Amino acid sequence: MTTVLAPVGGMAVGLAAVPDPVFSAGMVGPGTAIDPYRGPGEAVAPLAGKIMKLHPHAYVIVGDDGKGVLVHLGIDTVQLRGEGFQLLAAEGDRVRAGQPVVAWDPSQVEAGGRSPVCPVVALDAPAASVRCVVAGRVRAGDELFRWL
């Protein structure tokens, strides 16, 4: 079992609340989403492992068991081309769970007319394998869900 941590603090709202049909329908994979606190902060690694993909607005970390988790910082934030995001790690780095990966400010994303909601997705996982999904207030580093 893999424990996936909240990469940002805020309200865990579920994937259905993500204003993007690809995420809200679970097409990327099962998981949940966090409506982050507004203001500058850091998005952390949701599990220990290797950063397989790192963009300013999104990253994938794969644990030693081969399970990969996608963290997407806001919706349509790829259009920002990195503006407002600062990488704190590099692709290929090994990170511990809870280690800062990207600094960003959800209020700036929202001010630009985009949703700052953050999907946190278990990649290539059957929906039934994600359990104990937390709802409500979470802090970065709190347990978010378990991946069986």
Side-chain angles (χ1 to χ4, degrees):
M1 180 193 72
T2 299
T3 299
V4 176
L5 307 181
V8 296
M11 294 293 291
V13 294
L15 286 177
V18 177
D20 180 315
V22 173
F23 286 110
S24 64
M27 294 167 59
V28 181
T32 190
I34 300 172
D35 187 4
Y37 296 126
R38 304 307 188 260
E42 296 175 339
V44 304
L47 71 164
K50 183 177 181 180
I51 300 176
M52 298 303 287
K53 278 290 177 195
L54 179 61
H55 301 283
H57 68 283
Y59 51 93
V60 173
I61 297 178
V62 176
D64 291 338
D65 59 3
K67 294 176 179 173
V69 174
L70 167 69
V71 176
H72 204 282
L73 302 173
I75 301 303
D76 294 331
T77 46
V78 66
Q79 299 165 354
L80 297 173
R81 299 182 182 166
E83 186 176 327
F85 298 87
Q86 179 185 2
L87 300 180
L88 304 175
E91 195 168 287
D93 283 357
R94 289 199 60 81
V95 291
R96 65 185 187 289
Q99 182 176 333
V101 177
V102 176
W104 72 310
D105 186 343
S107 62
Q108 287 185 351
V109 170
E110 189 171 55
R114 293 173 180 83
S115 170
V117 169
C118 301
V120 182
V121 177
L123 296 173
D124 299 321
S129 66
V130 172
R131 304 270 176 90
C132 302
V133 180
V134 171
R137 194 173 305 275
V138 294
R139 293 176 300 176
D142 285 353
E143 182 175 324
L144 191 59
F145 61 83
R146 295 180 186 164
W147 185 353
L148 306 178

